[in-house]
Amino acid sequence: MAFNVAIDGPAGAGKSTVAKAVAAEENFIYVDTGAMYRAMALYFIREKIEPADEASIAAACVNVNITIAYEGGVQQVYLNGENVSGFLRTEEVGNMASATSGYIQVREKLTELQKQLARTADVVMDGRDIGTCVLPEADVKVYLTASSLVRAKRRYKELTEKGVSCVLEEIEKDIVDRDYRDMHREHSPLVRAEDAVFIDSSDLTLKEVVERIEAMIREKRPCR
Ligand code: DC
């Protein structure tokens, strides 16, 4: 039986950094489900489909094939055969992903792929609905969050280090808006699963968060 760790939480809570570190430590596969929603969003942007145009989004879903491969242990996302991993981490793609990930046609397509991956391998999977919808039977479930100001400051630091000029207040507003959309959509909204362990990383280091999750994994599979 594959061992599954689900990490959910809002944008910028540090899920991917934490999930990658836990996966490396445990020798599990890290599955970044946000990247799959971003790849779909990239397709909609390229096709010039408006995020509010549900009929066109639904029709486009039929033409999109998302696949995942691991190269050197790093997840690569393919959109209709093209490796698009390098195009996914922009604000434009993130906003489009947030606006379109609420559609049932988009969710059904990606949820099935995610379930398949978790059936066949030990995974740490991060996203918004992993513990609630994708892997309700996950062995370890975490809801990782941080205050919107802490998350905005982290993002601000990341962007300024890359030489991108930005305004902290605008980043925080973007984060608050995205939280609202992710938490209030009709299908698979971001909510903490009842059995997920709540971790607020505002005042914790990466190492502390990773150690807490590893302790939870050890408890569930003590003999490994
Ligand atoms: O985690 P991220 O920023 O890469 O995610 C991009 C968007 O995709 C986010 O706004 C919400 C959506 N998403 C989702 O609805 N369900 C997931 N499991 C992962 C991401």
Side-chain angles (χ1 to χ4, degrees):
M1 270 284 274
F3 192 92
N4 294 166
V5 180
I7 304 181
D8 290 302
K15 298 186 299 293
S16 65
T17 313
V18 166
K20 268 184 215 159
V22 172
E25 195 67 37
E26 301 291 333
N27 216 7
F28 289 1
I29 286 174
Y30 165 54
V31 183
D32 173 2
T33 63
M36 301 179 191
Y37 287 93
R38 286 170 182 265
M40 289 284 260
L42 180 65
Y43 182 83
F44 302 141
I45 291 171
R46 286 177 173 178
E47 293 294 308
K48 301 195 171 31
I49 297 174
E50 288 297 318
D53 183 357
E54 183 169 5
S56 299
I57 300 253
C61 279
V62 179
N63 302 321
V64 185
N65 187 27
I66 307 280
T67 49
I68 295 293
Y70 286 86
E71 288 163 22
V74 179
Q75 174 179 296
Q76 304 293 321
V77 185
Y78 287 78
L79 168 61
N80 293 336
E82 174 195 354
N83 186 341
V84 292
S85 310
F87 303 118
L88 304 180
R89 304 293 329 162
T90 66
E91 295 301 300
E92 185 194 15
V93 172
N95 285 329
M96 185 61 147
S98 173
T100 55
S101 55
Y103 292 120
I104 189 85
Q105 297 87 351
V106 174
R107 300 211 74 79
E108 277 178 352
K109 187 148 195 139
L110 297 180
T111 303
E112 196 40 50
L113 173 62
Q114 292 154 14
K115 285 184 182 198
Q116 251 174 41
L117 282 165
R119 264 196 296 271
T120 50
D122 295 336
V123 297
V124 182
M125 190 176 283
D126 77 354
R128 305 293 190 286
D129 60 338
I130 311 305
T132 50
C133 298
V134 181
L135 307 175
E137 310 296 331
D139 302 278
V140 168
K141 289 188 193 178
V142 173
Y143 187 88
L144 182 65
T145 189
S147 73
S148 59
L149 182 59
V150 166
R151 288 185 280 140
K153 281 183 177 164
R154 289 176 185 162
R155 184 77 187 129
Y156 177 85
K157 185 165 172 277
E158 223 175 84
L159 288 170
T160 45
E161 276 170 7
K162 277 193 208 156
V164 180
S165 79
C166 51
V167 179
L168 181 65
E169 288 73 20
E170 282 173 11
I171 294 180
E172 189 180 3
K173 184 181 175 304
D174 230 42
I175 283 179
V176 170
D177 289 350
R178 194 177 295 190
D179 284 358
Y180 187 87
R181 276 200 302 273
D182 290 349
M183 290 172 180
H184 291 86
R185 65 186 181 206
E186 186 186 351
H187 303 294
S188 311
L190 169 64
V191 283
R192 176 185 167 192
E194 267 176 29
D195 51 352
V197 172
F198 182 88
I199 301 180
D200 184 333
S201 74
S202 303
D203 300 313
L204 296 174
T205 63
L206 168 66
K207 190 162 176 271
E208 287 169 326
V209 176
V210 170
E211 276 170 3
R212 281 196 195 183
I213 299 174
E214 271 166 10
M216 290 159 63
I217 295 174
R218 275 196 303 275
E219 211 173 285
K220 286 287 171 85
R221 55 198 305 258
C223 51
R224 298 288 290 261

